[in-house]
Amino acid sequence: MAIAGMSEEERLRSEERSRADMERLSRELQSLILSLPPRELLDYIWSTTTVAGMFADGNGRASHRAEMNTVQFVLEYVHAVLASFAPGGEGAFKEETVAKIFKVAEELRTTAMLFCLFRAVGADGGMFGERTGLILQSVLSNWVLMRGNRYGGLEGEFYGFVLEPHDQILRETYGIGAAEVAAGIQAAVNSRAGGHADAVDRMEVLMEAAAKAEVEQGLTQKQVLDQWQSDQPEKLEAAKDVYMDLFRGGNCNLSRHTDLPASLLEDLAFERGAHHDLFAPGPLSGTPFRTLPARMKPLIKLDGDFFAADQAFVRDSAYRALLWNLLQRRPEYKKAFETRQKDMGETAFQSVLAKQLDSAAVHR
């Protein structure tokens, strides 16, 4: 291809130009995200994505899966910007601004792939000989494209197994044990994965109850609401919950959809403006070649509650973030932690496959 025939001077100029373009696009993406109220932004992205998935069939499913890569790239930047900048200057929600966010994000990802090519061509003849450039291009492009769009794991089973050795210290630190943490993480993933469908089902039940009251009692819609307010306030509360889940990013709100204690959610979350590395001055500022904060902590704290922009973030980084912060809270546990982690890892195979390995001799 033409890139391979470039002179070294041309390659360096192209690499520098693509780097500058990435930094410019990341600043534009940052500005667009900060201009919108975060809850409405999260909900709009997921609402439109969920509806598109519901109506996708045949070839449409393949197209929807491809679009999910862009959606998750955008969500990772939404999380990153919220984690990196304090609130302020947010205006009214505008669909056209979301469209710009997606357009700029796609441009940023495309430019990042060009940067990979220019950088890789310059690496030929390195430690892997003539394959050095190919290997570097693969590593860099995988880093840019690596997203959590995949089949869901068995979060409850996984966390229940790997946290069981630390059950007692979890209870002492957070007030719940391994089984409760596992159930909470599973609920966190479920709230995003099926939350909109569940909210629609709950809305349908409420609408049917209201329609039945109108017909059987001869009431207007306003009279039904007045009756609920005086006699059945739980139905109005349920309607409010449905509204929050459908239109205010409620399905991303793990404070509402899990029983995990605030102290544990705090350890998995960034406060607004608490992350300082991604957009710090220097080469590749704000670009995908720095570590995005969702790969460190999966949640973001908004208005006192804890939100997961994407359930994949919980799958990808919650385990490491939880253990790291557990040791920050309980540094005296470090030696016992290392021993129990070692034992759990070395015995995991025969523990999980105990029935299949019945009567087998296991050597460690």
Side-chain angles (χ1 to χ4, degrees):
M1 61 186 298
I3 292 177
M6 283 182 169
S7 68
E8 179 63 8
E9 183 179 349
E10 290 173 327
R11 184 196 68 78
L12 287 172
R13 281 202 304 268
S14 297
E15 181 183 319
E16 177 59 25
R17 186 163 53 248
S18 62
R19 182 191 65 78
D21 285 343
M22 282 193 296
E23 293 174 354
R24 172 183 58 79
L25 289 165
S26 73
R27 289 193 297 272
E28 186 177 354
L29 196 55
Q30 165 204 322
S31 177
L32 289 167
I33 291 170
L34 288 174
S35 73
L36 295 177
R39 290 193 180 199
E40 283 88 339
L41 174 59
L42 287 174
D43 187 78
Y44 182 85
I45 292 172
W46 273 118
S47 295
T48 53
T49 300
T50 302
V51 170
M54 289 169 59
F55 288 99
D57 59 355
N59 294 333
R61 288 199 186 95
S63 175
H64 179 66
R65 283 195 294 271
E67 290 169 1
M68 276 301 299
N69 291 322
T70 301
V71 169
Q72 291 183 308
F73 186 82
V74 169
L75 288 168
E76 198 163 3
Y77 262 90
V78 170
H79 177 281
V81 170
L82 296 177
S84 301
F85 298 95
E90 297 161 2
F93 179 81
K94 297 178 182 178
E95 289 187 40
E96 55 267 31
T97 303
V98 183
K100 288 180 183 178
I101 288 173
F102 273 79
K103 181 176 181 293
V104 173
E106 192 57 48
E107 290 178 12
L108 174 58
R109 191 169 62 167
T110 301
T111 305
M113 298 309 292
L114 281 174
F115 180 84
C116 292
L117 288 172
F118 295 131
R119 174 62 62 88
V121 169
D124 284 345
M127 65 184 296
F128 297 105
E130 62 182 15
R131 296 185 62 81
T132 301
L134 181 63
I135 292 171
L136 180 59
Q137 181 187 341
S138 177
V139 169
L140 292 176
S141 60
N142 283 341
W143 177 259
V144 173
L145 297 175
M146 182 173 60
R147 301 271 91 73
N149 184 19
R150 58 183 183 274
Y151 291 108
L154 301 175
E155 275 78 15
E157 287 84 347
F158 169 75
Y159 278 88
F161 182 85
V162 298
L163 294 180
E164 195 279 330
H166 313 297
D167 182 80
Q168 184 58 39
I169 196 71
L170 287 168
R171 292 184 185 281
E172 294 173 8
T173 306
Y174 298 112
I176 60 172
E180 292 87 355
V181 174
I185 296 294
Q186 186 67 65
V189 173
N190 292 348
S191 72
R192 260 288 352 115
H196 271 84
D198 176 66
V200 169
D201 288 343
R202 287 183 281 129
M203 180 176 66
E204 186 176 353
V205 169
L206 289 168
M207 291 175 66
E208 288 176 353
K212 183 178 179 181
E214 288 177 36
V215 172
E216 294 183 354
Q217 301 176 43
L219 302 176
T220 64
Q221 189 177 75
K222 183 180 184 307
Q223 287 172 328
V224 171
L225 293 177
D226 290 341
Q227 185 185 75
W228 283 3
Q229 187 168 15
S230 60
D231 301 334
Q232 297 175 291
E234 71 279 1
K235 286 188 176 176
L236 283 181
E237 192 63 29
K240 177 183 174 183
D241 287 344
V242 167
Y243 171 80
M244 292 297 292
D245 284 350
L246 287 176
F247 305 111
R248 293 280 294 167
N251 288 319
C252 301
N253 188 343
L254 303 191
S255 297
R256 294 181 62 241
H257 287 286
T258 77
D259 293 325
L260 293 172
S263 57
L264 191 149
L265 292 171
E266 191 93 44
D267 284 349
L268 300 182
F270 282 106
E271 295 268 0
R272 292 291 306 270
H275 181 72
H276 305 295
D277 296 339
L278 179 64
F279 290 97
L284 301 172
S285 174
T287 73
F289 294 101
R290 292 192 178 184
T291 301
L292 276 81
R295 303 182 189 185
M296 303 174 191
K297 291 184 179 183
L299 310 183
I300 187 75
K301 191 174 182 181
L302 300 173
D303 303 323
D305 286 344
F306 299 93
F307 287 74
D310 186 354
Q311 70 266 27
F313 300 168
V314 179
R315 290 183 178 131
D316 290 344
S317 58
Y319 178 58
R320 295 188 301 276
L322 174 59
L323 293 184
W324 190 87
N325 281 285
L326 175 65
L327 290 178
Q328 298 306 299
R329 288 178 179 266
R330 303 297 296 271
E332 76 281 3
Y333 182 64
K334 188 172 188 296
K335 188 66 177 177
F337 169 82
E338 292 173 347
T339 300
R340 290 172 184 174
Q341 281 291 95
K342 175 178 178 292
D343 290 342
M344 182 269 291
E346 290 184 357
T347 61
F349 184 79
Q350 65 262 34
S351 297
V352 173
L353 298 177
K355 291 182 179 178
Q356 291 87 342
L357 296 175
D358 185 35
S359 77
V362 178
H363 300 280
R364 291 177 60 188

